[in-house]
Amino acid sequence: MKKSILIFALIVFSISSHAQTYTVAYNQANTIDRSTSRNATLSANFLKEIVQNEDFEYREFLKDSKDSRSKYKFGKKNYTKTELVKLLRKAARKSGNTTEFSEFLDNVTPSFRNYVSDNDLDQLYKKFRKGTFNKYVQDLADNWDD
């Protein structure tokens, strides 16, 4: 009788541990998003379009983005090109340096930093900061003594 209880307990334990292992492996396979590489490419193209443009003008870029049907996925959120451009401009306006810019983007879209290097983030900040009222006031203060 003791042997049959022991054998039954071992069978139940082995089945449940195998089922848990199978479930974990299945869930891990499901979390791999097949469009991740596609989104990384799209976001890289979006970033390259901004960073490599020497004469970047926010208003022109925003106007062009309204005609675009591109969508970008960062984490669980999907953004149109226009929404992403407006988000970056808002982040640049509300921040005084690259660190604050990064923190603002982390609060809104935590996974955005996974797609952007530190150098690109600095370039984005400078491009979107140019032409804002805060940048104008900062330039006046910096050149006041000249």
Side-chain angles (χ1 to χ4, degrees):
M1 184 66 180
K2 290 182 182 181
K3 286 184 182 181
S4 60
I5 293 174
L6 180 63
I7 292 172
F8 180 71
L10 287 174
I11 291 172
V12 170
F13 176 73
S14 66
I15 290 173
S16 67
S17 67
H18 177 66
Q20 289 173 354
T21 305
Y22 178 73
T23 303
V24 170
Y26 180 74
N27 285 340
Q28 287 176 351
N30 269 349
T31 58
I32 297 171
D33 188 11
R34 292 181 185 205
S35 62
T36 303
S37 61
R38 181 173 169 248
N39 287 333
T41 304
L42 290 175
S43 61
N45 289 338
F46 173 77
L47 295 173
K48 190 186 309 182
E49 189 177 350
I50 295 169
V51 172
Q52 291 182 350
N53 188 353
E54 295 294 325
D55 300 324
F56 178 78
E57 290 292 328
Y58 167 72
R59 291 178 189 262
E60 289 177 21
F61 194 75
L62 181 63
K63 191 182 294 184
D64 293 339
S65 72
K66 289 180 181 179
D67 296 334
S68 174
R69 294 183 183 260
S70 300
K71 295 202 182 235
Y72 303 96
K73 182 176 181 180
F74 296 104
K76 295 180 181 179
K77 294 184 179 182
N78 288 323
Y79 293 99
T80 63
K81 190 172 184 179
T82 305
E83 291 172 337
L84 194 55
V85 169
K86 287 180 179 180
L87 174 68
L88 291 170
R89 179 62 166 216
K90 182 178 182 180
R93 244 191 9 243
K94 292 191 175 243
S95 53
N97 56 31
T98 308
T99 306
E100 291 176 10
F101 181 70
S102 175
E103 289 172 0
F104 183 87
L105 290 174
D106 285 342
N107 290 338
V108 175
T109 310
S111 61
F112 184 77
R113 291 281 293 136
N114 296 337
Y115 296 95
V116 183
S117 68
D118 290 336
N119 186 30
D120 288 342
L121 190 70
D122 186 49
Q123 291 294 323
L124 283 174
Y125 173 71
K126 289 177 183 175
K127 299 272 183 176
F128 280 95
R129 177 84 171 169
K130 186 174 74 172
T132 62
F133 179 73
N134 294 339
K135 177 68 173 164
Y136 177 73
V137 170
Q138 183 182 9
D139 288 344
L140 281 177
D142 291 343
N143 295 326
W144 189 261
D145 293 331
D146 293 339

